[in-house]
Structure formats: C-alpha cells, structure tokens
Amino acid sequence: MTEAMDGASCGSRYSKIEEDLVVLGESFGLGEIQACCFLPNGLMNGNWRLETAEGAFALKRIMDVPLPLARRNLAVLAELADAGVPVGRPMATTSGETVAEVADRGYCLIPWLEGGHRPGTELTMEQAGDLGVLLGQIHRVLNGERTARLLPPGSGPASAPVTTPAVAHTEADRFLAMIAALESPAAFDAEAAQALGERKILLDKYGSERPGTEVAAGPVGWTHGDVQHRNVLWRDGKIAGVIDWDRIRVRPFGEEVARTATVQFGGEDGFLDLERTAAFVAGYRSVVPILVPALADAVERLWWKRMSDYWQLVFHYDRNDHSCDHLFLPAERLLAWWTERREDVQEAFAAMP
C-alpha cells in the first residue's frame, strides 16, 4: 500500500483495518491496494474507499446487522441491480461469498459509485419528485417476483407499538438524573437537559393526541429502511445510487415515506420543507398508489415516535457513542416546529401525483 489510513486516529473500532486489508485484498482478488481512506460519514458501520489495481471500491465493516442477515441483504442488492435500481452490485470473494470474514469481523465490497450527497433543500422540486419515484420503485422491486426467493411475502397488519406519555416521561427523567450526576457536565449535557425539560412540557400538552391503536394503516411490505440524503448519491442532477441496505425489513410503506421525507427535507434544518415534501410524496404515489389515510396515519405515528423517543441520548449516555450527538438538537427543533404545524404537514403528505 502506498497510502493507508492511520487506524489509531479513528478510534480502536477501526484499528484492525490495516492488517485486515491484506486478507481482504486476497479474498476479493483486488491486486495491489494503493490507498485506503476512511469515510467518516457512516454512522453505524465502518466504511472506507479503496484504490486498487482493479479499480475503486467501497469497503464496509458490517457492524449493524448479523452477518447472515448481511448476506441475505447483499443477495437482494444483486437482484435490485438486475432490475435496474441504481445500486452497486456486491463483489464476491474468490470462494463466491459476498461477506469476507477476518477473525470475527465481517466485510463486504461494492464498486465505488461516483456521486455526491444532496441534503435537504439542495434538491430541486423535480429532483424531490424523482426521489419519491425511486422510493416507489424500490418498494415495487423488493416486493416483486424477482426477490421472492429471498424475501417471503410481507403482508398483513403491522404492529406499531405506541409509547405512553408516562413511559416517555420516565425515560426523560432517567436521562435528566444521569446528567445531574455528572461531575463535569459538558455543553451537550446542558443543552440536552434543557431540551428534555421542553420535551416533557410537550408530552403533557399533546399526550392525549397520540395514536390510539397499535395497528398501522395502509399497505405493508419489504422496505429499504433508511432512504435519505446520507444514503442517496447524485451525479449530474440524477440519482446515481442508493447505498446502505442493512435495514431491509417489513414495514408499512407509509412509515418509510414519512421517515424519508422528514429526514431528507427536515431533520438537521430544524423545519420541514413542505413544498419539496409534497413533490416527493406525489412522485411516490405515481408509482405506489397509497391512499391518503394510510399516509396520514404514518405521519402521526412518526410525529409521536419523535415525541416519545430519545435514541440519540441512548447512544450518548447508554452506549458512550457520541457519533449522533449532532442530530439531537436539530431533531428537537424539528419536533417543536412540526407539533405547531401538524395540519400543514398532513396537507403536504396528501399531495396527488
């Protein structure tokens, strides 16, 4: 290797990569590995760009799902590529496996997809619609004949647990107690404590408006699970690739539509761009004719999930993982904005194709 990542600079989680590269290069038949660059944008797995004698590749250390499930997902990815969905076809090792194991560490390799991420309102209205069309195509292929041997039919009503205000209050108080016990609280701790106090006020005010049933409305099937700007690549104004297929699972389609829109067009900006959301929903509904009541149900469920969930704080305080700290306060701002404009948000999700 002429250039290598300094494993120590990325934490012990990645310190094995240099010695693993020798084995991985042989397993995937890469020839000389000329450069290895750590990619810091991945939140759940380790990711690197490899420059090799055979070309450029994306290398992922699989940390977010069990390896057997990763193998199934990679097989699905190959079928999606055959169907014309813009994804990278997984590479096979010399023994025909899509996951290479080094000690207890699993890796997969995909040819490098050229393109860039386009967050939030960087998308034009037409591109927002294109993203909706793509999500609809993904749902159709994942639930079609091509993937049937890998993914059994996903149908029937979907259970969607609804956290009670009391449970959400208790969890908020748990984090507040942890923060209060810190000897040297940092700025994040003070901000989290203030946000938790504000969240408790919202829980008191809107707790009675949470979803009244644990059965989600609308069609159910296999979904990507994380279609959003970090996992979509654009090149020359067009979608060049969708990455990160670790979370393929049966969900209500409306759940993924709502989540994709709120992360892509809201999230880190602290508000939801309703015009682009409407264009996205219209694009999706031009492919999958989901009804407005199903989308309305999904939107309200997601709103309440955001109201009653503290996943970034679970990472920070329970797992000592600070990789998602930057997502917490923007999400709190979005929740407050959304709560004041729930009818406007519902209107955007009722957009016609």
Side-chain angles (χ1 to χ4, degrees):
M1 275 188 302
T2 58
E3 178 185 351
M5 179 200 73
D6 179 2
S9 68
C10 297
S12 60
R13 175 180 182 185
Y14 304 113
S15 60
K16 298 288 187 181
I17 187 64
E18 286 197 53
E19 60 189 71
D20 289 357
L21 279 179
V22 177
V23 178
L24 293 171
E26 295 175 354
S27 296
F28 286 107
L30 298 180
E32 179 189 3
I33 298 179
Q34 301 158 345
C36 173
C37 178
F38 174 66
L39 304 174
N41 292 333
L43 297 179
M44 304 300 178
N45 302 285
N47 298 276
W48 296 264
R49 176 187 168 105
L50 302 185
E51 298 283 353
T52 79
E54 298 298 317
F57 298 89
L59 174 70
K60 174 189 287 187
R61 180 177 169 190
I62 302 164
M63 305 172 73
D64 201 30
V65 295
L67 296 187
L69 184 56
R71 292 186 177 92
R72 185 209 66 180
N73 292 346
L74 291 166
V76 171
L77 199 57
E79 295 295 339
L80 288 164
D82 287 343
V85 178
V87 298
R89 186 183 301 279
M91 302 291 293
T93 65
T94 54
S95 61
E97 297 292 330
T98 54
V99 174
E101 296 187 52
V102 183
D104 60 346
R105 299 178 291 278
Y107 295 89
C108 64
L109 191 74
I110 291 175
W112 186 262
L113 296 174
E114 293 294 341
H117 303 289
R118 302 196 64 187
T121 55
E122 287 187 17
L123 298 189
T124 66
M125 295 299 175
E126 181 179 0
Q127 290 168 338
D130 290 343
L131 182 61
V133 168
L134 174 66
L135 183 62
Q137 292 171 340
I138 288 172
H139 287 176
R140 294 192 73 167
V141 176
L142 284 178
N143 294 277
E145 293 183 4
R146 184 179 289 276
T147 59
R149 66 181 180 82
L150 299 167
L151 304 174
S155 60
S159 175
V162 178
T163 303
T164 65
V167 169
H169 260 289
T170 299
E171 187 73 342
D173 287 338
R174 182 174 74 87
F175 287 120
L176 285 168
M178 294 175 72
I179 294 169
L182 293 173
E183 292 184 5
S184 302
F188 179 87
D189 303 309
E191 293 167 341
Q194 180 177 344
L196 286 166
E198 294 170 356
R199 183 84 73 90
K200 290 173 67 175
I201 293 172
L202 290 178
L203 286 167
D204 287 338
K205 185 174 181 179
Y206 294 100
S208 62
E209 299 179 30
R210 66 189 184 276
T213 173
E214 294 196 346
V215 178
V220 172
W222 291 95
T223 60
H224 174 282
D226 198 19
V227 175
Q228 43 115 333
H229 59 86
R230 297 179 190 86
N231 293 327
V232 178
L233 296 170
W234 296 81
R235 186 175 65 247
D236 299 328
K238 303 295 182 183
I239 298 173
V242 181
I243 61 176
D244 194 0
W245 291 82
D246 291 338
R247 301 183 187 181
I248 298 174
R249 203 176 75 200
V250 173
R251 300 177 179 85
F253 290 161
E255 177 183 315
E256 180 148 73
V257 173
R259 183 184 184 277
T260 295
T262 55
V263 175
Q264 177 69 44
F265 304 116
E268 295 174 30
D269 294 324
F271 70 95
L272 181 62
D273 187 305
L274 298 180
E275 286 188 286
R276 285 172 174 80
T277 295
F280 164 79
V281 171
Y284 178 83
R285 296 184 72 199
S286 72
V287 180
V288 178
I290 187 170
L291 299 179
V292 170
L295 287 171
D297 178 76
V299 170
E300 284 297 281
R301 289 181 184 280
L302 183 58
W303 165 74
W304 182 252
K305 179 178 175 63
R306 300 278 175 85
M307 182 74 76
S308 58
D309 183 62
Y310 311 89
W311 71 269
Q312 300 97 333
L313 299 187
V314 169
F315 271 57
H316 183 97
Y317 294 109
D318 294 342
R319 303 182 186 179
N320 196 30
D321 181 344
H322 298 184
S323 63
C324 298
D325 286 2
H326 65 290
L327 301 178
F328 178 65
L329 290 179
E332 293 300 297
R333 291 193 294 269
L334 173 60
L335 175 63
W337 182 95
W338 184 352
T339 300
E340 293 179 356
R341 298 167 178 83
R342 284 162 64 196
E343 290 185 5
D344 294 336
V345 173
Q346 287 288 5
E347 185 177 344
F349 277 91
M352 296 291 292

